[in-house]
Amino acid sequence: MSLPHAILTALLEKPSSGLELTRRFDKSIGYFWSATHQQIYRELGKLEDAGLIRALPSPQPTRGQRKAYEVLPAGRAELTAWVGKEEDPKPIRSALLLRMRAAAVVGPQGLEVELNRHLALHQEQLKEYEQIEERDFPAGRDGAEDRLRHLVLRGGIELETFWIGWIAEALATVGKLSEASEASEASEASEASETPGVPEASEQG
């Protein structure tokens, strides 16, 4: 149920067309609740049919013109009720964490490359969040709505900071394990080469 509520939130902030919503999702809400253009349009139709939003009348209707939507009182009431609704946290599903668990069984060969790739992605996302924070939440901007929106952004910043730290620790651990494995293999190879061969028994006539 979260996508329709995300759309209601965005429309209460600013009446928008489906295309405008898609662009706004890409730059804000989409960071923590993504949606495709088709999903947004589909939900707009459902919300309109349910009487939660309406298309704004156009002063000069033209064929193919984008409709802008606004939230009706029933939509605001629905969003208000949802804000206070009880909902349990969702279990984490991470392919990277699963790969780490698999590496404990089969070895970490090749895992370092993927960890470095994820590290770069999280560093890039953190940089983007920090740029948004500097641009949109300068010192002294502390209205009630700004505080809550800033808190959401801070959640994203803290999450990316966590992943960067965790992946750095994972890379260090994988590196040490790889070094230990290589040293063990080298030692075994050296011992094998130094072990004298057993002479064959001579035939007695």
Side-chain angles (χ1 to χ4, degrees), residues 69-171:
Y69 295 89
E70 69 174 357
V71 178
L72 294 170
R76 177 180 283 273
E78 166 62 28
L79 189 61
T80 300
W82 181 76
V83 166
K85 184 180 178 182
E86 182 179 287
E87 189 169 357
D88 294 336
K90 296 291 187 293
I92 294 175
R93 296 181 63 183
S94 169
L96 185 60
L97 294 180
L98 186 56
R99 280 191 174 89
M100 291 291 289
R101 185 66 178 258
V105 180
V106 301
Q109 298 85 353
L111 183 58
E112 189 172 356
V113 173
E114 180 68 354
L115 285 170
N116 274 307
R117 189 177 73 86
H118 276 255
L119 179 61
L121 290 172
H122 285 292
Q123 288 172 333
E124 183 179 346
Q125 188 63 75
L126 176 60
K127 182 179 179 181
E128 188 172 349
Y129 284 159
E130 289 176 338
Q131 288 173 342
I132 293 173
E133 183 178 40
E134 183 178 357
R135 182 193 69 208
D136 294 347
F137 300 100
R141 184 173 177 177
D142 59 352
E145 292 183 358
D146 289 328
R147 290 182 191 177
L148 294 177
R149 289 172 183 152
H150 192 189
L151 192 60
V152 173
L153 179 60
R154 289 300 309 170
I157 290 173
E158 294 296 333
L159 186 59
E160 296 303 324
T161 301
F162 160 77
W163 278 114
I164 289 170
W166 183 86
I167 293 173
E169 182 179 354
L171 279 166

XYZ file of all heavy atoms in Angstrom, residues 69-171:
827
model
N -3.038 16.548 -11.096
C -3.925 16.011 -10.066
C -3.699 16.719 -8.740
O -2.593 17.183 -8.429
C -3.664 14.518 -9.874
C -4.009 13.672 -11.075
C -3.063 13.437 -12.073
C -5.268 13.102 -11.219
C -3.360 12.663 -13.178
C -5.579 12.313 -12.326
C -4.620 12.110 -13.292
O -4.918 11.330 -14.392
N -4.789 16.773 -7.957
C -4.700 17.286 -6.595
C -5.415 16.320 -5.662
O -6.276 15.533 -6.088
C -5.316 18.683 -6.482
C -6.824 18.701 -6.637
C -7.417 20.080 -6.366
O -6.659 20.993 -6.014
O -8.650 20.218 -6.497
N -5.070 16.388 -4.373
C -5.645 15.485 -3.380
C -6.952 16.057 -2.855
O -7.052 17.240 -2.523
C -4.653 15.257 -2.217
C -5.267 14.350 -1.155
C -3.350 14.667 -2.747
N -7.958 15.199 -2.776
C -9.254 15.583 -2.208
C -9.242 15.349 -0.698
O -8.349 14.670 -0.170
C -10.365 14.754 -2.864
C -10.593 15.024 -4.358
C -11.540 13.987 -4.955
C -11.126 16.430 -4.570
N -10.221 15.898 0.035
C -10.258 15.695 1.488
C -10.201 14.221 1.897
O -9.550 13.877 2.891
C -11.587 16.339 1.889
C -11.790 17.418 0.877
C -11.256 16.855 -0.413
N -10.850 13.349 1.133
C -10.808 11.919 1.459
C -9.396 11.373 1.332
O -8.985 10.481 2.089
C -11.756 11.147 0.543
N -8.639 11.912 0.370
C -7.254 11.485 0.202
C -6.380 11.935 1.352
O -5.522 11.181 1.835
N -6.589 13.155 1.814
C -5.827 13.649 2.970
C -6.156 12.823 4.208
O -5.254 12.477 4.992
C -6.142 15.124 3.215
C -5.454 15.694 4.442
C -5.813 17.156 4.641
N -5.082 18.018 3.719
C -3.870 18.510 3.970
N -3.242 18.225 5.107
N -3.286 19.293 3.096
N -7.435 12.488 4.387
C -7.842 11.680 5.538
C -7.203 10.292 5.481
O -6.758 9.754 6.501
C -9.366 11.563 5.583
N -7.147 9.716 4.287
C -6.515 8.400 4.113
C -5.037 8.464 4.469
O -4.508 7.583 5.167
C -6.697 7.928 2.669
C -5.839 6.756 2.258
C -6.112 5.491 3.048
O -7.259 5.318 3.532
O -5.190 4.660 3.194
N -4.354 9.502 4.012
C -2.923 9.638 4.289
C -2.676 9.884 5.773
O -1.743 9.332 6.357
C -2.334 10.780 3.460
C -0.811 10.906 3.491
C -0.145 9.651 2.937
C -0.349 12.132 2.710
N -3.533 10.683 6.396
C -3.400 10.956 7.829
C -3.558 9.675 8.637
O -2.799 9.422 9.586
C -4.456 11.988 8.272
O -4.268 13.200 7.541
C -4.347 12.273 9.760
N -4.525 8.852 8.271
C -4.748 7.575 8.971
C -3.559 6.638 8.760
O -3.137 5.929 9.687
C -6.031 6.922 8.479
N -2.993 6.649 7.557
C -1.876 5.748 7.254
C -0.619 6.136 8.013
O 0.161 5.268 8.419
C -1.616 5.773 5.746
C -0.508 4.861 5.320
C -0.552 3.503 5.209
C 0.823 5.255 4.949
N 0.659 3.023 4.789
C 1.520 4.081 4.616
C 1.468 6.482 4.852
C 2.842 4.095 4.199
C 2.787 6.499 4.444
C 3.459 5.324 4.129
N -0.399 7.438 8.218
C 0.790 7.900 8.945
C 0.856 7.272 10.337
O 1.938 6.882 10.802
C 0.807 9.438 9.042
C 1.832 9.920 10.066
C 1.107 10.053 7.680
N -0.299 7.144 11.003
C -0.307 6.590 12.353
C -0.552 5.100 12.412
O -0.706 4.536 13.505
N -0.559 4.441 11.262
C -0.874 3.011 11.214
C 0.310 2.166 11.673
O 1.466 2.488 11.420
C -1.263 2.618 9.786
C -1.691 1.178 9.635
C -2.054 0.897 8.176
C -2.450 -0.558 7.973
N -2.768 -0.847 6.551
N 0.015 1.072 12.361
C 1.060 0.139 12.808
C 1.529 -0.719 11.641
O 0.721 -1.248 10.882
C 0.497 -0.748 13.918
C 1.488 -1.735 14.504
C 0.881 -2.561 15.617
O 0.667 -2.014 16.717
O 0.600 -3.745 15.378
N 2.836 -0.845 11.487
C 3.393 -1.661 10.412
C 4.764 -2.168 10.824
O 5.629 -1.385 11.221
C 3.497 -0.845 9.119
C 3.860 -1.661 7.905
C 3.700 -0.875 6.606
O 3.240 0.295 6.675
O 4.041 -1.412 5.550
N 4.950 -3.477 10.751
C 6.218 -4.077 11.176
C 7.321 -3.818 10.153
O 7.045 -3.704 8.955
C 6.060 -5.588 11.357
C 5.130 -5.933 12.505
O 4.979 -5.089 13.416
O 4.551 -7.042 12.488
N 8.583 -3.756 10.615
C 9.698 -3.619 9.670
C 9.766 -4.837 8.762
O 9.435 -5.947 9.170
C 10.937 -3.547 10.584
C 10.411 -3.261 11.946
C 9.034 -3.798 12.003
N 10.195 -4.612 7.528
C 10.342 -5.700 6.578
C 11.710 -6.363 6.758
O 12.703 -5.679 7.000
C 10.210 -5.186 5.142
C 8.828 -4.622 4.811
C 7.790 -5.735 4.774
C 6.441 -5.231 4.286
N 5.795 -4.283 5.199
N 11.787 -7.698 6.656
C 13.089 -8.376 6.751
C 14.022 -7.916 5.634
O 13.583 -7.614 4.527
C 12.731 -9.868 6.572
C 11.272 -9.959 6.883
C 10.678 -8.650 6.469
N 15.302 -7.864 5.960
C 16.299 -7.451 4.976
C 16.506 -8.563 3.954
O 16.640 -9.737 4.304
C 17.647 -7.134 5.656
C 17.507 -5.916 6.566
C 18.747 -6.898 4.631
C 18.753 -5.602 7.356
N 16.526 -8.202 2.671
C 16.868 -9.128 1.606
C 18.035 -8.519 0.830
O 17.860 -7.539 0.117
C 15.677 -9.383 0.680
C 14.512 -10.070 1.354
C 13.380 -10.320 0.380
N 13.786 -11.229 -0.692
C 12.988 -11.566 -1.707
N 11.779 -11.034 -1.808
N 13.415 -12.408 -2.629
N 19.213 -9.062 1.028
C 20.408 -8.503 0.392
C 21.206 -9.618 -0.266
O 21.685 -10.538 0.412
C 21.275 -7.779 1.425
O 22.539 -7.455 0.879
N 21.360 -9.531 -1.588
C 22.156 -10.520 -2.305
C 23.616 -10.465 -1.864
O 24.306 -11.489 -1.834
C 22.048 -10.289 -3.811
N 24.082 -9.265 -1.490
C 25.474 -9.128 -1.069
C 25.719 -9.871 0.243
O 26.729 -10.567 0.396
C 25.843 -7.649 -0.921
C 27.308 -7.357 -0.595
C 28.222 -7.897 -1.695
C 27.536 -5.866 -0.398
N 24.801 -9.740 1.193
C 24.943 -10.461 2.457
C 24.876 -11.969 2.225
O 25.592 -12.746 2.866
C 23.852 -10.028 3.437
C 23.917 -8.585 3.925
C 22.768 -8.286 4.886
C 25.250 -8.293 4.610
N 24.025 -12.392 1.304
C 23.920 -13.815 0.982
C 25.215 -14.319 0.346
O 25.665 -15.438 0.622
C 22.736 -14.053 0.046
C 22.408 -15.517 -0.283
C 22.168 -16.320 0.985
C 21.199 -15.585 -1.194
N 25.830 -13.475 -0.507
C 27.112 -13.856 -1.114
C 28.186 -14.031 -0.044
O 29.029 -14.930 -0.132
C 27.561 -12.791 -2.112
C 26.871 -12.877 -3.460
C 27.557 -11.967 -4.486
N 26.987 -12.143 -5.797
C 25.951 -11.453 -6.266
N 25.381 -10.527 -5.502
N 25.473 -11.672 -7.473
N 28.184 -13.177 0.970
C 29.149 -13.307 2.053
C 28.951 -14.623 2.788
O 29.916 -15.308 3.142
C 28.997 -12.133 3.029
C 29.429 -10.791 2.468
S 31.219 -10.671 2.220
C 31.771 -10.589 3.919
N 27.694 -14.988 3.006
C 27.408 -16.260 3.690
C 27.867 -17.438 2.822
O 28.430 -18.414 3.322
C 25.901 -16.346 3.973
C 25.462 -17.553 4.781
C 26.010 -17.514 6.199
N 25.540 -18.644 6.966
C 24.544 -18.591 7.861
N 23.925 -17.432 8.080
N 24.172 -19.648 8.542
N 27.652 -17.342 1.504
C 28.083 -18.397 0.596
C 29.611 -18.489 0.557
O 30.178 -19.589 0.482
C 27.537 -18.140 -0.804
N 30.271 -17.329 0.634
C 31.737 -17.310 0.599
C 32.328 -18.022 1.807
O 33.431 -18.580 1.733
C 32.242 -15.875 0.543
N 31.594 -18.023 2.913
C 32.067 -18.727 4.101
C 32.127 -20.234 3.853
O 32.877 -20.948 4.514
C 31.141 -18.428 5.285
N 31.368 -20.717 2.876
C 31.317 -22.149 2.577
C 32.257 -22.524 1.444
O 32.993 -23.508 1.526
C 29.871 -22.568 2.216
C 29.813 -24.064 1.908
C 28.903 -22.215 3.333
N 32.228 -21.714 0.357
C 32.992 -22.085 -0.838
C 34.256 -21.254 -1.032
O 35.026 -21.498 -1.951
C 32.101 -21.976 -2.101
C 30.903 -22.876 -1.988
C 31.667 -20.521 -2.338
N 34.460 -20.235 -0.201
C 35.626 -19.383 -0.336
C 35.283 -18.057 -0.992
O 34.307 -17.965 -1.738
N 36.085 -17.023 -0.726
C 35.752 -15.668 -1.195
C 36.304 -15.310 -2.566
O 36.381 -14.135 -2.906
C 36.395 -14.794 -0.121
C 37.618 -15.557 0.287
C 37.246 -17.013 0.186
N 36.676 -16.307 -3.376
C 37.257 -16.002 -4.682
C 36.306 -15.139 -5.512
O 35.149 -15.494 -5.715
C 37.552 -17.300 -5.451
C 38.573 -18.207 -4.772
C 37.943 -19.122 -3.736
O 36.764 -18.998 -3.437
N 38.743 -20.025 -3.202
N 36.806 -13.995 -5.995
C 36.020 -13.111 -6.841
C 35.120 -12.148 -6.084
O 34.573 -11.212 -6.677
N 34.962 -12.348 -4.784
C 34.056 -11.500 -4.004
C 34.590 -10.087 -3.845
O 33.825 -9.123 -3.767
C 33.815 -12.131 -2.632
C 32.827 -11.427 -1.700
C 31.454 -11.310 -2.349
C 32.730 -12.168 -0.375
N 35.897 -9.940 -3.829
C 36.502 -8.625 -3.610
C 36.098 -7.624 -4.700
O 35.865 -6.449 -4.426
C 38.029 -8.760 -3.551
C 38.735 -7.489 -3.103
C 40.217 -7.704 -2.874
O 40.666 -8.863 -2.988
O 40.911 -6.718 -2.584
N 36.000 -8.101 -5.932
C 35.612 -7.226 -7.039
C 34.197 -6.688 -6.829
O 33.934 -5.492 -7.011
C 35.689 -7.988 -8.382
C 35.134 -7.137 -9.515
C 37.127 -8.389 -8.671
N 33.281 -7.558 -6.426
C 31.898 -7.134 -6.209
C 31.781 -6.207 -5.014
O 31.022 -5.237 -5.029
C 31.006 -8.369 -6.017
C 29.530 -8.073 -5.791
C 28.834 -7.484 -7.008
O 29.510 -7.180 -8.018
O 27.610 -7.309 -6.939
N 32.544 -6.463 -3.965
C 32.536 -5.582 -2.800
C 33.029 -4.189 -3.173
O 32.454 -3.184 -2.744
C 33.409 -6.176 -1.693
C 32.815 -7.358 -0.921
C 33.875 -8.004 -0.035
C 31.627 -6.916 -0.069
N 34.074 -4.114 -3.972
C 34.583 -2.812 -4.403
C 33.576 -2.070 -5.262
O 33.449 -0.843 -5.184
C 35.903 -2.987 -5.163
C 37.109 -3.033 -4.236
O 37.304 -2.155 -3.410
N 37.906 -4.074 -4.360
N 32.844 -2.812 -6.090
C 31.819 -2.182 -6.925
C 30.708 -1.602 -6.057
O 30.255 -0.467 -6.264
C 31.237 -3.206 -7.901
C 30.319 -2.604 -8.955
C 29.842 -3.678 -9.934
N 28.859 -4.544 -9.315
C 27.541 -4.274 -9.267
N 27.080 -3.144 -9.797
N 26.709 -5.110 -8.708
N 30.261 -2.356 -5.068
C 29.223 -1.871 -4.154
C 29.728 -0.675 -3.343
O 28.973 0.270 -3.096
C 28.783 -2.990 -3.208
C 27.737 -3.885 -3.799
N 26.412 -3.831 -3.427
C 27.812 -4.844 -4.748
C 25.724 -4.722 -4.116
N 26.554 -5.354 -4.926
N 30.979 -0.720 -2.936
C 31.552 0.396 -2.176
C 31.496 1.677 -2.988
O 31.092 2.737 -2.485
C 32.992 0.067 -1.792
C 33.746 1.155 -1.005
C 33.050 1.447 0.312
C 35.191 0.728 -0.772
N 31.863 1.603 -4.264
C 31.838 2.786 -5.126
C 30.427 3.316 -5.298
O 30.190 4.536 -5.288
C 32.450 2.446 -6.486
N 29.453 2.415 -5.427
C 28.054 2.832 -5.592
C 27.545 3.545 -4.342
O 26.858 4.573 -4.431
C 27.182 1.618 -5.900
C 27.369 0.983 -7.282
C 26.596 -0.328 -7.380
C 26.930 1.942 -8.384
N 27.863 3.006 -3.179
C 27.415 3.638 -1.932
C 28.124 4.973 -1.701
O 27.513 5.924 -1.191
C 27.648 2.694 -0.746
C 26.664 1.562 -0.675
N 25.328 1.756 -0.383
C 26.814 0.232 -0.867
C 24.702 0.593 -0.388
N 25.584 -0.355 -0.683
N 29.381 5.058 -2.061
C 30.099 6.334 -1.933
C 29.495 7.393 -2.852
O 29.352 8.557 -2.460
C 31.578 6.119 -2.264
C 32.337 5.350 -1.197
C 33.745 4.985 -1.626
O 34.022 4.836 -2.823
N 34.638 4.827 -0.669
N 29.107 6.976 -4.044
C 28.476 7.906 -4.985
C 27.118 8.377 -4.465
O 26.787 9.562 -4.557
C 28.308 7.214 -6.337
C 27.719 8.097 -7.417
C 27.589 7.377 -8.749
O 28.187 6.293 -8.895
O 26.882 7.887 -9.641
N 26.334 7.449 -3.898
C 25.026 7.811 -3.365
C 25.157 8.737 -2.161
O 24.393 9.696 -2.009
C 24.254 6.551 -2.965
C 22.807 6.797 -2.566
C 21.978 7.353 -3.703
O 21.619 6.632 -4.633
N 21.673 8.643 -3.657
N 26.129 8.462 -1.302
C 26.357 9.322 -0.142
C 26.717 10.735 -0.586
O 26.208 11.718 -0.026
C 27.483 8.747 0.728
C 27.889 9.598 1.930
C 26.712 9.800 2.882
C 29.068 8.974 2.666
N 27.560 10.835 -1.593
C 27.951 12.153 -2.105
C 26.724 12.903 -2.621
O 26.571 14.112 -2.377
C 28.981 11.986 -3.219
C 29.482 13.300 -3.795
C 30.518 13.057 -4.883
C 31.006 14.369 -5.484
N 32.013 14.134 -6.562
N 25.833 12.208 -3.311
C 24.622 12.842 -3.835
C 23.721 13.323 -2.703
O 23.184 14.432 -2.743
C 23.871 11.857 -4.730
C 22.698 12.477 -5.472
C 22.097 11.535 -6.498
O 22.706 10.482 -6.782
O 21.010 11.859 -7.014
N 23.548 12.491 -1.677
C 22.736 12.889 -0.524
C 23.317 14.121 0.161
O 22.588 15.038 0.570
C 22.648 11.741 0.488
C 21.708 10.630 0.110
C 21.850 9.359 0.672
C 20.656 10.821 -0.786
C 20.982 8.323 0.345
C 19.792 9.799 -1.116
C 19.962 8.543 -0.543
O 19.108 7.529 -0.870
N 24.623 14.142 0.328
C 25.271 15.268 1.003
C 25.129 16.552 0.193
O 24.994 17.645 0.759
C 26.735 14.936 1.265
C 26.917 13.874 2.342
C 28.356 13.460 2.536
O 29.169 13.648 1.596
O 28.689 12.934 3.616
N 25.149 16.431 -1.128
C 24.937 17.611 -1.980
C 23.507 18.127 -1.839
O 23.278 19.337 -1.806
C 25.237 17.246 -3.434
C 26.709 17.042 -3.728
C 26.966 16.522 -5.134
O 26.060 16.003 -5.795
N 28.200 16.639 -5.592
N 22.532 17.207 -1.749
C 21.135 17.601 -1.539
C 20.987 18.296 -0.191
O 20.302 19.315 -0.069
C 20.214 16.377 -1.618
C 20.193 15.807 -3.039
C 18.789 16.744 -1.181
C 19.450 14.502 -3.170
N 21.646 17.755 0.832
C 21.568 18.346 2.167
C 22.121 19.773 2.166
O 21.520 20.686 2.732
C 22.333 17.483 3.166
C 22.241 17.997 4.593
C 22.958 17.101 5.576
O 24.053 16.601 5.233
O 22.452 16.911 6.688
N 23.252 19.951 1.520
C 23.870 21.286 1.467
C 22.994 22.267 0.700
O 22.886 23.436 1.072
C 25.249 21.173 0.812
C 26.007 22.491 0.768
C 27.386 22.346 0.157
O 27.774 21.208 -0.183
O 28.082 23.370 0.003
N 22.356 21.782 -0.371
C 21.534 22.657 -1.215
C 20.180 22.977 -0.590
O 19.739 24.134 -0.595
C 21.327 21.982 -2.578
C 20.514 22.808 -3.580
C 20.101 21.929 -4.743
N 19.121 20.928 -4.337
C 18.984 19.739 -4.927
N 19.783 19.389 -5.919
N 18.050 18.899 -4.506
N 19.508 21.955 -0.050
C 18.115 22.118 0.385
C 17.933 22.415 1.864
O 16.856 22.852 2.276
C 17.318 20.852 0.036
C 17.185 20.643 -1.467
O 17.497 21.590 -2.220
O 16.787 19.540 -1.885
N 18.954 22.169 2.674
C 18.797 22.368 4.113
C 19.960 23.169 4.698
O 20.732 22.672 5.524
C 18.675 21.009 4.824
C 17.500 20.203 4.347
C 17.685 19.181 3.421
C 16.219 20.479 4.782
C 16.611 18.439 2.961
C 15.132 19.744 4.330
C 15.329 18.722 3.407
N 20.080 24.418 4.273
C 21.142 25.265 4.820
C 20.860 25.607 6.277
O 19.744 25.421 6.777
C 21.070 26.519 3.935
C 19.642 26.570 3.476
C 19.218 25.129 3.307
N 21.859 26.110 6.945
C 21.714 26.492 8.353
C 20.610 27.533 8.496
O 20.507 28.467 7.699
C 23.034 27.048 8.876
N 19.757 27.345 9.497
C 18.670 28.278 9.746
C 17.352 27.876 9.129
O 16.313 28.447 9.462
N 17.368 26.900 8.237
C 16.113 26.425 7.643
C 15.583 25.286 8.507
O 15.978 24.135 8.354
C 16.352 25.939 6.213
C 15.073 25.512 5.506
C 15.313 25.210 4.044
N 14.118 24.729 3.396
C 14.021 24.430 2.106
N 15.080 24.576 1.320
N 12.894 23.999 1.597
N 14.712 25.629 9.437
C 14.276 24.627 10.405
C 12.769 24.676 10.661
O 12.310 24.502 11.789
C 15.040 24.786 11.719
C 14.842 26.167 12.337
O 14.233 27.031 11.662
O 15.269 26.379 13.479
N 11.978 24.919 9.606
C 10.528 24.829 9.762
C 10.117 23.402 10.052
O 10.898 22.461 9.860
N 8.891 23.214 10.511
C 8.424 21.889 10.908
C 8.542 20.886 9.763
O 9.059 19.774 9.940
C 6.978 21.973 11.392
N 8.071 21.269 8.558
C 8.151 20.354 7.419
C 9.593 20.102 7.020
O 9.972 18.974 6.672
C 7.371 20.922 6.239
C 5.854 20.960 6.459
C 5.121 21.467 5.225
O 5.787 21.818 4.233
O 3.879 21.505 5.274
N 10.428 21.155 7.072
C 11.833 21.001 6.707
C 12.544 20.050 7.656
O 13.397 19.258 7.232
C 12.541 22.356 6.719
C 12.104 23.239 5.556
O 11.794 22.679 4.486
O 12.066 24.467 5.712
N 12.218 20.107 8.938
C 12.875 19.226 9.914
C 12.594 17.763 9.601
O 13.495 16.920 9.646
C 12.396 19.555 11.328
C 12.875 20.884 11.874
C 12.383 21.080 13.282
N 12.595 22.440 13.755
C 12.197 22.880 14.949
N 11.578 22.055 15.775
N 12.416 24.130 15.298
N 11.341 17.455 9.292
C 10.983 16.068 9.008
C 11.596 15.596 7.697
O 12.095 14.476 7.596
C 9.458 15.911 8.976
C 8.753 16.133 10.317
C 7.246 16.016 10.157
C 9.254 15.120 11.355
N 11.572 16.445 6.678
C 12.183 16.060 5.401
C 13.696 15.888 5.548
O 14.294 14.981 4.959
C 11.873 17.117 4.336
C 10.414 17.120 3.904
C 10.097 18.288 3.006
N 8.684 18.316 2.652
C 8.001 19.410 2.361
N 8.608 20.586 2.388
N 6.731 19.340 2.033
N 14.294 16.760 6.333
C 15.734 16.647 6.579
C 16.040 15.359 7.323
O 17.053 14.686 7.060
C 16.226 17.855 7.376
C 17.715 17.977 7.423
N 18.364 18.882 8.225
C 18.703 17.297 6.777
C 19.667 18.772 8.072
N 19.900 17.808 7.200
N 15.165 14.986 8.241
C 15.365 13.752 8.995
C 15.326 12.534 8.081
O 16.100 11.583 8.250
C 14.291 13.628 10.081
C 14.502 12.544 11.135
C 15.804 12.776 11.894
C 13.328 12.509 12.107
N 14.429 12.561 7.092
C 14.383 11.475 6.107
C 15.701 11.395 5.347
O 16.271 10.311 5.156
C 13.211 11.682 5.123
C 13.270 10.658 3.999
C 11.871 11.582 5.847
N 16.199 12.552 4.917
C 17.470 12.586 4.191
C 18.615 12.106 5.072
O 19.497 11.365 4.616
C 17.747 14.011 3.701
C 19.053 14.223 2.931
C 19.089 13.366 1.670
C 19.224 15.697 2.583
N 18.598 12.503 6.357
C 19.640 12.062 7.274
C 19.626 10.542 7.428
O 20.671 9.906 7.572
C 19.456 12.710 8.648
C 19.754 14.201 8.720
C 21.171 14.532 8.346
N 22.147 13.725 9.085
C 23.448 13.687 8.801
N 23.922 14.401 7.799
N 24.257 12.950 9.513
N 18.420 9.956 7.379
C 18.328 8.500 7.425
C 19.063 7.868 6.256
O 19.779 6.868 6.419
N 18.886 8.447 5.057
C 19.606 7.945 3.892
C 21.107 8.108 4.031
O 21.884 7.219 3.669
N 21.539 9.242 4.558
C 22.970 9.497 4.750
C 23.573 8.501 5.732
O 24.651 7.929 5.501
C 23.198 10.941 5.234
C 22.892 11.924 4.087
C 24.624 11.137 5.754
C 22.923 13.386 4.499
N 22.859 8.261 6.852
C 23.360 7.319 7.857
C 23.414 5.895 7.304
O 24.338 5.134 7.602
C 22.472 7.363 9.111
C 22.513 8.677 9.868
C 23.883 8.979 10.446
O 24.651 8.019 10.717
O 24.211 10.162 10.624
N 22.430 5.539 6.480
C 22.408 4.199 5.904
C 23.591 3.995 4.949
O 24.258 2.952 4.979
C 21.090 3.969 5.163
C 20.850 2.558 4.613
C 20.870 1.524 5.734
C 19.517 2.501 3.875
N 23.844 4.987 4.088
C 24.974 4.871 3.164
C 26.300 4.855 3.926
O 27.222 4.113 3.569
C 24.968 6.031 2.162
C 23.771 6.057 1.235
C 23.611 4.782 0.442
O 24.632 4.174 0.041
O 22.460 4.362 0.219
N 26.388 5.647 4.994
C 27.594 5.662 5.824
C 27.827 4.296 6.448
O 28.958 3.798 6.505
C 27.484 6.734 6.916
O 27.292 8.015 6.308
C 28.741 6.776 7.771
N 26.743 3.667 6.915
C 26.861 2.322 7.483
C 27.408 1.337 6.446
O 28.344 0.581 6.715
C 25.504 1.827 7.982
C 25.451 0.332 8.124
C 26.049 -0.308 9.203
C 24.830 -0.449 7.145
C 26.036 -1.697 9.305
C 24.802 -1.835 7.246
C 25.410 -2.460 8.333
N 26.805 1.342 5.236
C 27.222 0.377 4.220
C 28.676 0.592 3.806
O 29.412 -0.370 3.569
C 26.305 0.463 3.003
C 25.028 -0.299 3.165
C 23.768 0.202 3.227
C 24.897 -1.721 3.312
N 22.847 -0.811 3.396
C 23.517 -2.001 3.446
C 25.811 -2.775 3.330
C 23.037 -3.301 3.608
C 25.317 -4.077 3.494
C 23.952 -4.323 3.630
N 29.098 1.846 3.725
C 30.492 2.123 3.360
C 31.438 1.546 4.414
O 32.439 0.910 4.094
C 30.702 3.641 3.189
C 29.996 4.124 1.915
C 32.194 3.984 3.132
C 29.927 5.625 1.779
N 31.108 1.758 5.686
C 31.938 1.227 6.762
C 31.936 -0.293 6.794
O 32.979 -0.936 6.983
N 30.748 -0.883 6.595
C 30.627 -2.345 6.637
C 31.384 -2.985 5.479
O 32.089 -3.989 5.655
C 29.160 -2.747 6.586
C 28.952 -4.231 6.694
C 28.844 -4.976 7.830
C 28.855 -5.159 5.591
N 28.682 -6.297 7.512
C 28.691 -6.444 6.160
C 28.896 -5.022 4.211
C 28.553 -7.591 5.372
C 28.773 -6.158 3.419
C 28.601 -7.425 4.001
N 31.262 -2.424 4.276
C 31.949 -2.994 3.115
C 33.464 -2.847 3.266
O 34.222 -3.744 2.876
C 31.453 -2.329 1.816
C 29.988 -2.710 1.559
C 32.308 -2.767 0.630
C 29.350 -1.971 0.389
N 33.912 -1.741 3.838
C 35.353 -1.564 4.075
C 35.860 -2.662 5.018
O 36.938 -3.241 4.798
C 35.626 -0.182 4.655
N 35.079 -2.961 6.048
C 35.453 -4.036 6.975
C 35.428 -5.392 6.263
O 36.310 -6.236 6.472
C 34.493 -4.052 8.162
C 34.833 -5.103 9.207
C 33.881 -5.088 10.392
O 33.031 -4.183 10.452
O 33.992 -5.990 11.240
N 34.419 -5.604 5.418
C 34.318 -6.858 4.670
C 35.510 -7.029 3.738
O 36.070 -8.128 3.608
C 33.009 -6.894 3.883
N 35.913 -5.951 3.066
C 37.065 -6.015 2.161
C 38.347 -6.359 2.923
O 39.165 -7.162 2.443
C 37.234 -4.678 1.437
C 36.325 -4.454 0.232
C 36.338 -2.993 -0.194
C 36.764 -5.340 -0.933
